[in-house]
Amino acid sequence: EQQAEAFASLPLGFAAACLMIYVILAWLFGSYFQPLIVMLGIPFAMIGVIWGHYFAGVSLSFLSMIGFVALSGVVVNDSLIFVEFYNTRRKEGDNLQKALLGAGAARLRPIFLTTITTVLGLTPLMLEQSMQAKFLIPMALAISFGLMSATVLILLLLPALLVIGDDIRLFTRYLWTGSSKGSL
C-alpha cells in the first residue's frame, strides 16, 4: 500500500521538477524553445536505464525510478553545458555549424568527465553484494547506465535538435516577415 502511494506520487513530483527546470532554463536562455531541446535528453536517458537493468538482471523498482529522477538533473546539466557554450559562440558571431562544432569540441571533455566520474563513483555500489546494498543497486544502475546512454545521445542528438530549432526559427521568421535573413 505504501509502495503504491509512493509510485502514485512520483510522476507528480517528477512533473513538478521538470516544470521548475523548464522555468529556470527559459529564464537562463531567454528562450522558450531551447529549454525543450535541453530537456529532450531526459527521455533518451530512459533507454540506458532499461538496458542497464536488463543487462544486470535487475527488475525496475521504485528506487530505479528515484534514480531516474536524479539522473534527469545530471542529463540537463550536461545538455546545459553544451547549449550555453553554443549560445555564447552564436552571440560572438559564429555561424550555426561553427558554433556547434566549437561547442562540441570545447564541451566534450567536461561532459565525458561528468559521466565517467559519476559512473566510477557508483561502480562500487553496483558491485556490492551485501544485503544493505541490494536496495540501492537499482538506483545506481539507473543513474550509471542512463547517464552513459544520455551522454552519447546528447553529443549526437543535441546538435541535430539545435539545427532543427534554427530551421524552425528561420521558417517562422519567413512566415511572419517574409524575410529569412538572420535568426530569431
Side-chain angles (χ1 to χ4, degrees):
E1 195 173 303
Q2 287 177 343
Q3 189 174 11
E5 276 184 38
F7 267 117
S9 67
L10 190 62
L12 182 62
F14 183 66
C18 285
L19 180 64
M20 287 185 282
I21 290 170
Y22 177 83
V23 168
I24 290 168
L25 291 175
W27 171 71
L28 177 69
F29 293 143
S31 166
Y32 296 115
F33 187 70
Q34 280 189 338
L36 292 175
I37 292 173
V38 167
M39 293 178 71
L40 274 174
I42 296 172
F44 287 105
M46 193 61 169
I47 295 168
V49 171
I50 292 169
W51 279 106
H53 281 73
Y54 176 76
F55 287 134
V58 175
S59 299
L60 285 169
S61 67
F62 179 72
L63 284 175
S64 301
M65 294 300 107
I66 295 292
F68 176 69
V69 172
L71 167 68
S72 300
V74 180
V75 170
V76 166
N77 184 46
D78 282 352
S79 300
L80 175 67
I81 290 169
F82 187 96
V83 173
E84 184 62 30
F85 196 80
Y86 162 79
N87 286 340
T88 302
R89 299 289 301 254
R90 289 292 289 203
K91 286 177 186 169
E92 291 173 355
D94 287 352
N95 66 20
L96 177 71
Q97 183 180 6
K98 189 174 180 183
L100 285 173
L101 290 173
R107 299 293 101 192
L108 179 68
R109 192 169 109 182
I111 290 171
F112 269 134
L113 285 175
T114 300
T115 300
I116 290 167
T117 56
T118 303
V119 171
L120 290 177
L122 290 171
T123 298
L125 178 59
M126 289 186 291
L127 299 175
E128 182 62 42
Q129 297 299 314
S130 70
M131 195 61 181
Q132 293 90 349
K134 295 270 186 219
F135 296 106
L136 295 175
I137 289 173
M139 186 171 64
L141 284 170
I143 293 171
S144 296
F145 282 90
L147 187 56
M148 285 188 284
S149 71
T151 298
V152 172
L153 291 170
I154 284 168
L155 293 172
L156 297 176
L157 181 71
L158 195 59
L161 291 173
L162 288 168
V163 169
I164 291 168
D166 196 62
D167 288 345
I168 290 170
R169 280 191 286 270
L170 288 174
F171 182 69
T172 304
R173 172 171 279 197
Y174 176 74
L175 289 177
W176 190 260
T177 66
S179 171
S180 63
K181 293 184 179 175
S183 63
L184 294 175

